Amino acid sequence: MDTRLQLLTEWVRQFPGFEQCQAEPVSGDASFRRYFRVWREAGQRIPHIVMDAPPEHEDCVPFVAIARHWHGEGVSVPGILQTDLAQGFLLLEDFGDRLMLGQLNDHSADALYRAAMEELLLIAGQPSPPDYPLPPYDATLLEREMALFPDWLLERQLGMSLDNSDRALLDTTFAILRESALAQPEVTVHRDYHSRNLLVRLNQERPGVIDFQDAVTGPVTYDLVSLLKDCYIQWPEQKICEWLEHYRQRSREAGLHRADPDTFRQWFELMGMQRHLKAAGIFARLSIRDGKHGYLNDIPRTVHYLMVASSRQPALRHFHEWLSDTVMPRIEASIGKAPGRERSGS
């Protein structure tokens, strides 16, 4: 018996219009959270979402604080109707099921990405919620995230034994990426702003934004690289450059930075490497620790991003060669090659 589902159903049935509702599974995510759809009977059937976040694993306080603050400031996050933090239940506005990832094609991409970048500008300019100061994306957090790459992907997933030379190479690479990130102007960072956390809503140009509870104050390019160098879909270099320059101009006009195109591009490239080191490690951890093996399929694409970005950085030439000659062959033998998800973007 699913005890938490039973508790969740009893909880939501106490609210007017939900007395007879049944919780229909919608999805889970990369955490312990689960989502269910319930229908309110109020003359017409109105869908809502119930989040199940077991309190021993998930803290709902950041989600509630950020959601209420951003919603009040006009960011397209779900409205919160009811909360029970002790049990880890939230009743939310329903944005539907149309993830941006499934709606992207050569004809829709420009409009969808430009809308997503406009929403990102609104998020980046937000102050911290008054009752929940956003934590900083500091050196400790940056280092801890990058360490996921050797700890979970290289050693545990691929079975590599890293010697002192390998460790020194990683340390040097991490230092370059850390210093670049810390040198960027700081904004509010969603921290997981990509096509699986943006929803295309009916009769709405603006995307619905979800999974924002890990927001921090950090580098101005972090969310942009999450969006444009998405671990789940890859676009041609020309399209990425066009979107990157569009956002650079819009974010500069908004007063978020004063960078020229070359500086902003360098920030973007190095920030992408930090994020993809983190993501590749997390995908391996999700498989090994949590039994979510489907994320392994996204590792080849994610490490391919690392290879391309490092090939453009003279200071990271040795790291690029090591990825190409040592790491990627192991990934291809163990997991597979980067899938052909690149769009033409024409």
Side-chain angles (χ1 to χ4, degrees):
M1 176 182 291
D2 190 334
T3 304
R4 283 198 61 82
L5 177 56
Q6 186 176 11
L7 289 171
L8 178 148
T9 303
E10 292 171 358
W11 175 74
V12 78
R13 282 179 175 176
Q14 70 182 296
F15 304 119
F18 293 98
E19 292 87 352
Q20 303 299 320
C21 75
Q22 297 292 331
E24 306 167 1
V26 176
S27 69
D29 59 23
S31 71
F32 290 95
R33 291 182 296 273
R34 297 187 297 173
Y35 299 89
F36 299 88
R37 179 166 284 115
V38 294
W39 297 81
R40 181 178 177 225
E41 305 292 342
Q44 57 180 330
R45 299 183 77 225
I46 303 173
H48 294 74
I49 294 294
V50 187
M51 179 195 293
D52 171 24
E56 66 273 20
H57 297 298
E58 301 286 342
D59 180 8
C60 285
V61 170
F63 182 96
V64 172
I66 296 167
R68 285 177 170 161
H69 178 63
W70 287 6
H71 193 271
E73 295 296 322
V75 181
S76 295
V77 295
I80 298 178
L81 285 76
Q82 300 288 344
T83 67
D84 186 332
L85 299 185
Q87 292 194 87
F89 298 147
L90 302 178
L91 181 62
L92 307 170
E93 181 182 2
D94 188 354
F95 281 170
D97 297 323
R98 297 201 305 163
L99 295 179
M100 180 174 162
L101 179 62
Q103 304 300 311
L104 284 167
N105 57 52
D106 295 344
H107 302 292
S108 67
D110 267 315
L112 291 175
Y113 275 103
R114 286 175 187 265
M117 287 188 281
E118 287 303 306
E119 200 68 25
L120 181 54
L121 282 173
L122 187 56
I123 292 172
Q126 292 302 316
S128 282
D131 53 346
Y132 180 73
L134 296 180
Y137 217 150
D138 57 16
T140 300
L141 181 53
L142 290 163
E143 289 280 359
R144 185 165 69 239
E145 289 182 344
M146 289 186 286
L148 296 168
F149 182 75
D151 292 352
W152 286 94
L153 177 59
L154 302 186
E155 294 185 324
R156 302 193 200 195
Q157 180 66 41
L158 300 179
M160 294 176 61
S161 297
L162 302 179
D163 59 24
N164 290 338
S165 175
D166 298 330
R167 293 286 181 186
L169 180 60
L170 286 168
D171 288 345
T172 300
T173 301
F174 291 179
I176 291 171
L177 301 181
R178 181 188 67 239
E179 294 309 311
S180 175
L182 295 175
Q184 295 186 37
E186 291 188 341
V187 299
T188 291
V189 174
H190 176 291
R191 208 172 160 203
D192 220 6
Y193 197 80
H194 57 68
S195 63
R196 285 187 176 176
N197 285 332
L198 296 170
L199 288 155
V200 178
R201 299 177 291 168
L202 290 174
N203 304 317
Q204 294 272 1
E205 288 187 9
R206 297 171 61 188
V209 180
I210 59 174
D211 204 18
F212 44 79
Q213 64 281 337
D214 293 324
V216 294
T217 299
V220 67
T221 62
Y222 188 91
D223 282 337
L224 184 66
V225 84
S226 302
L227 180 68
L228 301 186
K229 291 192 175 186
D230 193 329
C231 294
Y232 308 112
I233 188 169
Q234 185 175 351
W235 294 92
E237 183 70 16
Q238 180 182 353
K239 294 305 300 180
I240 293 175
C241 289
E242 290 175 11
W243 293 327
L244 173 65
E245 178 58 14
H246 172 78
Y247 188 82
R248 185 195 71 83
Q249 294 181 17
R250 292 287 292 117
S251 53
R252 180 169 172 142
E253 292 166 0
L256 299 181
H257 65 87
R258 298 170 60 186
D260 59 42
D262 290 342
T263 300
F264 200 76
R265 176 59 185 260
Q266 179 74 348
W267 287 346
F268 177 83
E269 289 291 313
L270 295 179
M271 193 75 257
M273 290 187 64
Q274 191 277 343
R275 174 168 172 79
H276 292 130
L277 287 166
K278 163 193 171 180
I282 287 176
F283 292 152
R285 186 176 69 183
L286 285 166
S287 174
I288 296 166
R289 187 189 70 183
D290 303 329
K292 299 180 178 182
H293 305 301
Y295 286 96
L296 291 178
N297 297 329
D298 300 306
I299 289 175
R301 182 187 304 107
T302 303
V303 177
H304 179 71
Y305 276 130
L306 278 168
M307 289 179 55
V308 172
S310 61
S311 71
R312 300 169 177 154
Q313 304 294 326
L316 297 176
R317 178 172 60 87
H318 295 301
F319 178 70
H320 171 75
E321 292 172 351
W322 182 68
L323 280 180
S324 301
D325 298 341
T326 303
V327 177
M328 188 55 94
R330 287 177 176 264
I331 290 173
E332 291 179 346
S334 173
I335 300 171
K337 295 187 177 182
R341 294 293 303 276
E342 181 169 311
R343 304 290 188 173
S344 69
S346 57

